[in-house]
Amino acid sequence: MNTDCDRRRFLARLTTLLSTGSVLAGLTEHCSAADKVTSKGESLAGLAAYDRLMETFFEENQPLGASLAVAYRGRLVYAKGFGQADLDGKRQVQPTSLFRIASLSKPVTAVAVMKLVEEGKVTLDQPIVPLLNLDFLPEDPQQWADPRMADITLHHCLQHTGGFDKDRSGDPFAMSRPVKVSLGVDFPLSQEDLLRFALTRNLDFDPGQKHAYANIGYLMLGRMIEQQSGQAYDQYVQQEILQPLGIHRMQLAKTLKEYAAPGEVEYRDAKGRTGANVLGLKSTDWVPFPYGIERIENLAPVGGWLASSVDLVRFTSGLFFPEGDAILSRETLQTMLAPPKINGQKPSGKQAYYYACGWLTRPSPRSVLPWTCWHNGRLTGVSTLLVSRADGISWCVLFNQDTAPDGQAFASKIDSPLHAPANAIEDWPEGDLFAEYL
């Protein structure tokens, strides 16, 4: 399949729909696509471009279901679900449907860390391993498998510069059986098992030397939050971050389908794979990949949250356009989104973007906000995207299927197209749907 041609065709078609003045053309396209995808939810006036985009995207790419929420400078203006919430088509996706959000959990964890920093409980340059209270490590770092681990700071973990490189030594979250054999433990693995496996091996590079995306750093941050707050990770996040924003349904996901949360969607692996479970179940029956090949409970601070698209644009709205007491001060936000120093050097160039603390970030000093920041996520059966633009427009799109027929992640395919309606709308409607959906 020619992916570039498909993408150009989709963008050309979308541009025509957004710019055309022909009511007939718009209605014809809407009816043709609407036969194939249903939508639930509400939109303020003047935002039909998002409907057309999603309808066309479904027609072209055939996802199982999706949810899209859009906010303008702190106000929810669009919230709709599209397609199917389960594999047999009995439920439709709602704006409030809960999805596994995968690595969109990292910005949530990063904000919780910054909250602890703002409270004076920790500092970003503080070594993290001593804060974890791990019994399996000797007190003397010189006796650790790699003494360089004593140099890993909170900042390193937040910015993926801690010395772990999954492309070189693997990702412990995707190595359940090697971890089990190496440690001589039984399934299910615990978070402490994964930390023990990762921290009793050599690092891949000196901390701070380079950026290499590594999930284990965020597991360390989750453990640090628990040790320094005296609360379970999710309790601290809910109490200090989510509930003050009016977000009450976000929770940690469970692996098994029978423990799905009320309103949670089902997940479809595009490849339809099954395998032996890593959950310690006595059954020898193979399980669908989304329900037992990874133990999502271990991913909690890394990629384990459930949320709706409305929840997540409320999260960005509350951070960057607070209505009352701010979750984080503007100074703390600036620290969170500042560029990392790799070998003492900051990124340079007009188009430079970088991984800050939990967010991919591009500076934009002459706009409403001084940065655009975003993150995407992917698990088997899941593809997600969260964007907060410098002009004050933010959106979140969640899919309950991972890849399109051409093998690309849905979030990657829809990333660029979602900027088109945001750019085309000149007069954003008044009003706020948050009160209805939260």
Side-chain angles (χ1 to χ4, degrees):
M1 180 177 292
N2 190 327
T3 301
D4 290 338
C5 288
D6 289 344
R7 186 177 181 84
R8 286 196 297 271
R9 189 183 305 117
F10 174 73
L11 289 171
R13 187 175 183 186
L14 176 62
T15 300
T16 300
L17 284 172
L18 292 173
S19 61
T20 182
S22 168
V23 175
L24 178 61
L27 289 176
T28 301
E29 180 62 34
H30 177 82
C31 293
S32 172
D35 291 339
K36 298 182 181 181
V37 60
T38 56
S39 65
K40 295 287 185 180
E42 292 191 36
S43 165
L44 298 183
L47 305 181
Y50 285 105
D51 293 328
R52 294 193 291 269
L53 183 154
M54 294 300 290
E55 290 162 0
T56 302
F57 189 86
F58 264 74
E59 185 180 359
E60 297 281 346
N61 297 284
Q62 304 167 16
L64 177 61
S67 177
L68 172 66
V70 182
Y72 179 73
R73 299 189 182 181
R75 298 181 291 107
L76 181 66
V77 296
Y78 184 100
K80 291 192 178 183
F82 297 85
Q84 304 305 317
D86 51 24
L87 301 181
D88 57 14
K90 292 182 179 179
R91 292 186 294 138
Q92 295 180 353
V93 176
Q94 306 291 328
T96 53
S97 293
L98 294 176
F99 289 70
R100 296 175 180 176
I101 66 171
S103 283
L104 303 194
S105 302
K106 290 183 173 70
V108 176
T109 298
V111 169
V113 172
M114 298 308 298
K115 187 71 173 177
L116 287 173
V117 171
E118 196 168 78
E119 292 171 347
K121 294 182 179 178
V122 293
T123 65
L124 289 178
D125 293 330
Q126 193 167 354
I128 190 171
V129 176
L131 300 177
L132 305 183
N133 193 25
L134 297 170
D135 293 338
F136 58 80
L137 288 178
E139 289 187 14
D140 182 3
Q142 293 302 314
Q143 298 179 29
W144 296 355
D146 191 331
R148 292 177 297 174
M149 289 186 185
D151 299 327
I152 303 173
T153 66
L154 278 65
H155 226 159
H156 290 141
C157 291
L158 286 164
Q159 297 175 336
H160 298 288
T161 60
F164 305 99
D165 187 343
K166 63 183 179 60
D167 292 333
R168 292 180 60 181
S169 57
D171 183 351
F173 294 95
M175 301 167 61
S176 294
R177 297 185 192 284
V179 171
K180 175 180 179 292
V181 172
S182 174
L183 299 182
V185 297
D186 295 325
F187 285 146
L189 300 177
S190 67
Q191 290 184 353
E192 185 146 335
D193 289 331
L194 296 176
L195 288 171
R196 180 182 166 200
F197 178 78
L199 298 180
T200 54
R201 299 194 299 167
N202 288 332
L203 291 175
D204 298 303
F205 56 89
D206 292 340
Q209 183 184 50
K210 67 175 186 176
H211 170 91
Y213 196 88
N215 287 319
I216 197 67
Y218 273 77
L219 184 59
M220 295 166 69
L221 291 168
R223 170 84 175 207
M224 182 280 298
I225 290 170
E226 293 189 332
Q227 294 297 310
Q228 301 308 306
S229 71
Q231 297 176 265
Y233 161 78
D234 58 326
Q235 292 176 346
Y236 180 80
V237 171
Q238 288 167 338
Q239 176 180 303
E240 300 296 329
I241 310 299
L242 302 178
Q243 292 176 8
L245 296 176
I247 301 170
H248 299 289
R249 295 178 66 236
M250 278 184 66
Q251 58 196 278
L252 295 181
K254 302 293 185 184
T255 304
L256 292 174
K257 188 183 295 187
E258 53 261 43
Y259 298 130
E264 183 180 354
V265 300
E266 291 184 7
Y267 308 99
R268 181 166 72 189
D269 172 25
K271 297 180 180 179
R273 295 166 292 178
T274 59
N277 78 82
V278 298
L279 305 177
L281 302 178
K282 293 182 179 179
S283 172
T284 58
D285 293 340
W286 281 24
V287 296
F289 264 38
Y291 296 104
I293 298 302
E294 297 172 303
R295 186 169 185 254
I296 199 167
E297 288 85 350
N298 283 339
L299 287 168
V302 178
W305 282 96
L306 289 176
S308 69
S309 58
V310 172
D311 291 332
L312 290 169
V313 293
R314 178 59 180 168
F315 172 66
T316 59
S317 296
L319 275 183
F320 303 125
F321 294 93
E323 296 176 348
D325 293 338
I327 297 298
L328 297 177
S329 70
R330 182 53 62 99
E331 181 181 4
T332 301
L333 289 176
Q334 290 172 339
T335 299
M336 180 175 71
L337 297 175
K341 292 183 179 179
I342 308 297
N343 273 340
Q345 301 295 318
K346 292 184 178 181
S348 60
K350 293 182 179 180
Q351 302 301 317
Y353 69 90
Y354 50 83
Y355 199 102
C357 296
W359 302 82
L360 284 155
T361 305
R362 178 179 287 112
S364 183
R366 288 197 277 274
S367 193
V368 176
L369 297 172
W371 0 251
T372 288
C373 53
W374 68 98
H375 212 295
N376 57 8
R378 181 174 173 180
L379 292 169
T380 305
V382 176
S383 185
T384 62
L385 176 67
L386 177 63
V387 176
S388 177
R389 291 204 326 189
D391 57 6
I393 306 167
S394 63
W395 59 81
C396 177
V397 61
L398 308 173
F399 293 93
N400 58 341
Q401 182 178 333
D402 41 11
T403 59
D406 63 5
Q408 290 190 76
F410 284 118
S412 297
K413 295 200 72 168
I414 204 169
D415 186 3
S416 292
L418 272 170
H419 288 270
N423 294 337
I425 296 167
E426 295 182 359
D427 296 316
W428 288 83
E430 296 296 327
D432 188 350
L433 298 173
F434 273 132
E436 179 172 347
Y437 286 109
L438 290 178

